[in-house]
Amino acid sequence: MSQLVALWQSSGIFQISIPQVAMILIGLFLLYLAIARRFEPLLLIPIGFGGILSNIPGVDIAVGDGVLAQFAAMGLDTGIFPLLVFMGIGAMTDFGPLLANPRTMLLGAAAQFGIFTTLLGALSMTQIGVFDFSLAQAAAIGIIGGADGPTAIYVSSVLAPELLGAIAVSAYSYMALVPLIQPPIMRALTTHSERVIQMKLPREVSQAEKILFPLLLLILVALIVPGAAPLLGMFCFGNLMKECRVVARLSDTAQNALINIATIFLGLSVGSKLIADEFLVGATLGILALGVVAFAIGTATGVLMAKLMNLFSERKINPLIGAAGVSAVPMAARVANKVGIESDPDNFLIMHAMGPNVAGVIGSTIAAGVLIQFAG
Amino acid sequence: MSQLVALWQSSGIFQISIPQVAMILIGLFLLYLAIARRFEPLLLIPIGFGGILSNIPGVDIAVGDGVLAQFAAMGLDTGIFPLLVFMGIGAMTDFGPLLANPRTMLLGAAAQFGIFTTLLGALSMTQIGVFDFSLAQAAAIGIIGGADGPTAIYVSSVLAPELLGAIAVSAYSYMALVPLIQPPIMRALTTHSERVIQMKLPREVSQAEKILFPLLLLILVALIVPGAAPLLGMFCFGNLMKECRVVARLSDTAQNALINIATIFLGLSVGSKLIADEFLVGATLGILALGVVAFAIGTATGVLMAKLMNLFSERKINPLIGAAGVSAVPMAARVANKVGIESDPDNFLIMHAMGPNVAGVIGSTIAAGVLIQFAG
Amino acid sequence: MSQLVALWQSSGIFQISIPQVAMILIGLFLLYLAIARRFEPLLLIPIGFGGILSNIPGVDIAVGDGVLAQFAAMGLDTGIFPLLVFMGIGAMTDFGPLLANPRTMLLGAAAQFGIFTTLLGALSMTQIGVFDFSLAQAAAIGIIGGADGPTAIYVSSVLAPELLGAIAVSAYSYMALVPLIQPPIMRALTTHSERVIQMKLPREVSQAEKILFPLLLLILVALIVPGAAPLLGMFCFGNLMKECRVVARLSDTAQNALINIATIFLGLSVGSKLIADEFLVGATLGILALGVVAFAIGTATGVLMAKLMNLFSERKINPLIGAAGVSAVPMAARVANKVGIESDPDNFLIMHAMGPNVAGVIGSTIAAGVLIQFAG
Amino acid sequence: MENLLSQGFEIAIFGMGTVFMFLTLLILATHGMSLLVQKYEAKIPKNTADTATQKADRNLLAIISGAIAQHRSTRN
Amino acid sequence: MENLLSQGFEIAIFGMGTVFMFLTLLILATHGMSLLVQKYEAKIPKNTADTATQKADRNLLAIISGAIAQHRSTRN
Amino acid sequence: MENLLSQGFEIAIFGMGTVFMFLTLLILATHGMSLLVQKYEAKIPKNTADTATQKADRNLLAIISGAIAQHRSTRN
Ligand code: NA
Ligand code: NA
Ligand code: NA
């Protein structure tokens, strides 16, 4: 009889708490978004599933010796998983469009305004007493505006591990929502005649330039913002493996088996941070609210920078591609293309938008380096 | 001269002991079974080879800082390797046949009798003084009857790490022997008219059902047997990645590179537990004897449950598919098909046997969860 | 204003030292050799890039919690990465040519003279006061003469971790330089009539022989030089997985995803040892000088052994294939073939050279085992 | 010792009971889930739109690449 | 110092000796193994039966799948 | 508190400044690199020789394998 009681007491039905039920529902909702709505499924499926596992009562999965806790200790707290994912993304990135038209890098710089205004927003909230974010936490929240998953996760694992779950969920959700968030802002800030600007076809870029670029980028980072070197270093390493063409088998593994393994582990590890006690706090609402603001501001400043550049240059830039400067590769570039087609069905902007799009990745890692060095 | 003596004393010929020779022969025998007889080669080749390496005298391979000892510490003592293998198996499992005919799950339940009778057998041996198994050890031995390699390894790594080598060798050997162990029992317990029962073709199962099933299974586990959540959670995660179709690259890696890497490391780690001092003990003989009993009883209760269900239902089940309830995927399902064809060459049971076969996997993880919670 | 000063002081330009600049240039030079000259790119690209990352000032990448320091702690200090690479090489090795003509193994033995004369060279330098190498360090330097990357890295991680960077760079550079180092020596030590010796086509080797050979080799190692068992064990395990044909999926992963992942991590980890303070020391020059001597002597003794064997045998060996005994698979075998073609355009030696070539791998692991046991 | 065997019996009974209870509930839940799915199948979004978008994107890229190649060949 | 160099000589001699001894034994063992294999080759099971079984299983599954597909198409 | 916000402003200004400075330098450096490359492109070794060697090696192996196969077939 006492065994029957023990059995009942060991069951989940007996032990489960309301917050755990809520978190399991949130995990299921993330899975729904990933599967039915195709919101960044590569990350949201492991994150959502990991979140469910982490809130099962009566068994250690995300804490102690639990398997997800071990994954997190191995590769999330150490930064290894996001860096490996970033290496793989580097091995999949083509800097060709950027090299053909380097001045579009300024769009990728301007769109990082979202990061710093969000940081200030978080500190203002603290100021008026709504939330209580430290400088490091505010910086980690700001990086959501970088619109780059591995960078956001890496920065928050360094600056504010306690907010990692909320920041990762926020970053990936808004990246998936880019097609909803960006177009109204892009239309509001541009005139029809700007949106129909046709840009010249980019020139062909030689293999040597593609090989030298990641090295150039790395050296420049080393000289100016060493704090960004781990992130950009792994990114450039992946890109060099791809472009040099003499280590095709390593590049192939970095783009497939290795990034996939790192993604599975990274997602489950992030899921392990969705424990009810840590996630169901007011701060999470603040992070979600600030995240969407960050994306909106980055979109706006990217577009405005393109308009500013057009004041000084003969070769006009279609300001819609400025919105791609937020990163969110390749979604934001596709959005620029789509909004462009609305105004002129024959104006394909995607090739032009890829430049600022990858420049946005560089821009947010530089911002990340500064934040790690000065807000840490 | 003293150097020559040192050289001679450092050689294996000088240092090797009889038990080490015996273990190396056992390792070679496992390799023979795997290569010439195709007994579960994916696991028995790494286990057998690891076993040989572990018994080389004069060098630390399976102990101390040795490479196999490091593999074992990394992924066997922590449960990570069997869980990753289980995730990969989940990504290869098709629940379609089970969903088409859910009541055959009862066959997968009944076949778990083998687990618990074996547990009682081990305790009885202790009772009569033949061996001295603790409750946790008896439970770990019982799980051999689950006929599922990763589950057996995971449970014994938790409950009785000192028996892991013998339990893993026993589990995989008997899984390979299923085509010899099961048919006589199946023939003895069924009549010819039962063996020729033809079953209706299963209905088509929709994609939505296949996506929802692993989530349903996970929630039910969370509510009822949280102890089984790590094992079933990883299994369901693998299955969801496969069925949701939006993360094909992750599913592909889970089914290939990742499960293969985990299998190599898992096998070598298990091999590191085949050190002479630990393996060449009386208990190993007991485990081997109890293992075959476990398989036999599971087979019998699976078949008998099918006959019992036929007493209450119009839609008759061919009782041969009950034997597939032990797990040993997909071998036991093939055996059911083969024995069925003996009686009626046109009666292909394999599709019907796959349902109880995968239900047996679920059943043994539930049993594993109970054992970990109550015998730990 | 103070922030501006802090920003400037945090920059690489402010912090970088001359030795760090030198090391970054060395890293770029290694990348140049790998990409433009195709010097062992699979290793030199990760090593060179890792070397650059490790000398970026103001950020911990190769020390402390830095990502490369973590990779090195995980798999270089423990020996795991070189052993996994060696397993993969084993899975790619065909012992067929060796089995067809076993007596050519003696060429692979003779070429190991380079290892031990280099060891004596290092000790002589200590004797005359040029450098100050310990016995263990001299042994680690000697193994460069083994002309086998993973073996050299494994041995120096055990015997002289402080020299690992220089030894690895030296080993891979000279392996790439084999087409320049070997031919003059080969021509100087052979007559035209020796170089045109035609050898009989090797016999066909059965599958059973190929399966039994790695086991035979392992047993012999266990009995005679257990110190070589970790290295040769992993090598034989990889080869058995390939030849047994029943675990094609494991063999495929060992030859692709797993060895590629291990190579990336191994290269970056070795790169983390190229920190200015450790690499820019006189000893490195000594190691580079001794390394080329090691290759030259190994080449010479391999060729001379072939000539010696011809004194006692009717079936003449073309002495050029003796040079392939140094290892440097498959480069040295190609060099033998190429030098042979110079004298007789119809005499293809590559099939005959593959035997001593892989025997050289076995020979250097045996030498490594002796060194680890007696110089450790 | 006696105690150990009786403990074993308890675990065996509760264990087998849990296995059966669990799989019985799973049968019921699966039946229910299948019924619901079959009922609402038509209403579930098929995601064909998204796939179409992706396909269109790919087509788009192919068209663009082709156009650029053509442009370049005429330029030379 | 003198000592170090003499230690080195000892290791060099024993090391080279071990390498030659090992590879000589390996040559002999390999010859022996090859002779044994060539002698008993015919007696070693070829595993063709197993492969045939697996192939049959695959064929079987293909046949079943085909049958089911046909069945369904006629049902509609 | 006041202090925190003013710290935030400093970081924001220096951060945005660094991002712009970095990418501006990168634009200049990239321009310079591209010019240099386009100027010296002809002088850079194309590695076609190496590739040719490797290809030749592969051809060689194919030729040898073929020769051996032929030899064996005539022997039997
Ligand atoms: Na960005
Ligand atoms: Na089972
Ligand atoms: Na060698």
Side-chain angles (χ1 to χ4, degrees), chain B residues 112 146-147 325-327 360-361 364:
Chain B
Q112 310 315 316
V326 294
S327 307
V361 175
S364 35

Side-chain angles (χ1 to χ4, degrees), chain A residues 294-308:
Chain A
F295 271 66
I297 292 178
T299 303
T301 50
V303 172
L304 293 174
M305 172 54 95
K307 297 178 69 163
L308 182 68

Side-chain angles (χ1 to χ4, degrees), chain E residues 1-2 6 8 10 13 15 17 24 29 35-36 38-39 45-46 50 52 56 58-59 64 67 70-72 74:
Chain E
M1 275 302 167
E2 190 66 29
S6 76
E10 272 190 26
I13 290 163
T24 307
L35 284 177
L36 279 177
Q38 282 159 14
K39 208 166 158 187
K46 287 260 192 269
D50 286 15
R58 267 202 300 281
N59 286 346
I64 295 167
Q70 206 172 17
H71 170 80
R72 282 204 180 108
T74 56

Side-chain angles (χ1 to χ4, degrees), chain C residues 209-293:
Chain C
E209 288 170 86
K210 288 187 174 181
I211 293 173
L212 290 173
F213 183 73
L215 294 170
L216 189 70
L217 178 51
L218 177 71
I219 299 295
L220 220 54
V221 166
L223 293 180
I224 300 178
V225 199
L231 270 170
L232 259 180
M234 293 303 278
F235 188 79
C236 291
F237 177 54
N239 191 249
L240 181 68
M241 285 199 288
K242 174 196 168 213
E243 297 297 357
C244 73
R245 295 191 185 174
V246 293
V247 290
R249 58 182 297 154
L250 299 188
S251 167
D252 176 61
T253 293
Q255 289 179 50
N256 290 290
L258 186 48
I259 193 175
N260 292 343
I261 292 171
T263 301
I264 290 172
F265 286 158
L266 177 62
L268 291 175
S269 298
V270 170
S272 80
K273 304 296 182 186
L274 300 187
I275 294 177
D277 307 347
E278 293 181 12
F279 191 85
L280 292 179
V281 292
T284 298
L285 288 178
I287 290 169
L288 288 170
L290 287 164
V292 69
V293 171

